[in-house]
Amino acid sequence: MITKEKQQIPEEFRTPRLNIINTGFTPTIIRFLIVSAVGFLVIVFVYFLYGESPDPLKTPFPFVLSIIAFNLISEGNIIINRVLDKKSPWFFKIASRLKKQLGWSFIWTVMIAAISFLSLPGHVYEEQHFFMSAVLVFIFGVLFILIFNSILFLRSFLFNWKKSVLEVETLKQAKIESDYKILQNQLNPHFLFNCFSTLISEIHYDPENAAEFTQKLAEVYRYLLQKKNDITVPLWEELDFINDFVFLHKHRMGEALVVNIDISEEYKDLHIPPMSLQMLLENAIKHNRSSEKSPLTIDINIKNKRFLNVCNNLQPKNNVYSTGTGLQNISQRYEMLSGRSIKISETEELYCVELPLLFDND
């Protein structure tokens, strides 16, 4: 669906706020402080579990080793996540990415834990409660790091996912608008040719009224130039344009053309694509015979409160070449605008096209 204002990527995605999972000095320091505080608190907590009073100044080694080990585990997992984001993004193969993430994280965590245990002095192994204390420190520390890193990864994933969705939507909308403009520009040469053909005929058949015809033609083209970049227009504007357009043809066709417009005011603020109604009238005039005895009658009204209904009596001309560009153009524009289709019906006597009425935000 196209709107009159282009979809913009929000400022928060173009210049995102500080995220502590990002690279850079400040995010790294913030992560270091958080993980270090947790490493310190885990050691203190385990000490208290065994009724001992921790003294970091007298026995700094467990605290320092814990802080270093936890930071290495945390930063290693973040680096693994960054590398896998480039090599194996979540968006393509989630199961494969999850296996790689868990596998490398497990290997890294076990490796740091083994190095940490091997770094301990020999006498530490003989201390009371050493084994259980070490296991508890490891479990509590790793558990926190997993939760902490998972939150960071999830926030990063959701942020990038939402950003990518907005980028894809913006690119899609730009493509649709580009395609729409190309389709819309097909109208101008076709309409220009027909108008000048009509003007030549008017000058030939009724030179005295050529000036008035030229003025109306100028008003028609003023509308076309003013609305060429609009995606939709209010129905009342298109109807005013159609009145001028019909005036041009009535000068040439006289009573051979009858156009009846029966639309109440409540529908005139709804929208349709610009020049779509003109194309339907132009097609009816082009493909049907008309005379004062058997005029071409075009009725324009509202059907089922949802459609602009345009019907003409069928008096087909012979050997009239048609590319079908006009109706195809209108149909494609409606598909791009709202996903809705025009409706075409034909009987032995009538040919009708129903154009969906759009709201301003469609």
Side-chain angles (χ1 to χ4, degrees), residues 303-362:
K303 184 175 180 180
N304 297 330
K305 299 182 179 181
R306 298 172 53 208
F307 295 92
L308 181 66
N309 188 46
V310 182
C311 291
N312 64 270
N313 56 327
L314 272 176
Q315 302 177 144
K317 293 179 181 178
N318 296 323
N319 301 322
V320 175
Y321 175 74
S322 173
T323 62
T325 301
L327 283 176
Q328 185 180 12
N329 182 294
I330 297 172
S331 179
Q332 287 178 311
R333 283 199 279 168
Y334 265 101
E335 287 290 339
M336 290 180 181
L337 284 165
S338 62
R340 300 165 68 186
S341 302
I342 65 174
K343 296 183 179 181
I344 301 173
S345 59
E346 183 175 352
T347 65
E348 292 183 358
E349 298 180 349
L350 289 176
Y351 183 86
C352 297
V353 179
E354 297 175 25
L355 302 180
L357 293 169
L358 307 173
F359 292 98
D360 189 19
N361 58 351
D362 282 347

Side-chain angles (χ1 to χ4, degrees), residues 100-126:
K100 292 177 182 179
Q101 185 95 32
L102 293 175
W104 284 109
S105 294
F106 178 79
I107 292 171
W108 176 255
T109 302
V110 170
M111 186 177 70
I112 296 300
I115 293 173
S116 300
F117 276 102
L118 293 174
S119 301
L120 292 170
H123 67 85
V124 174
Y125 295 95
E126 301 173 359

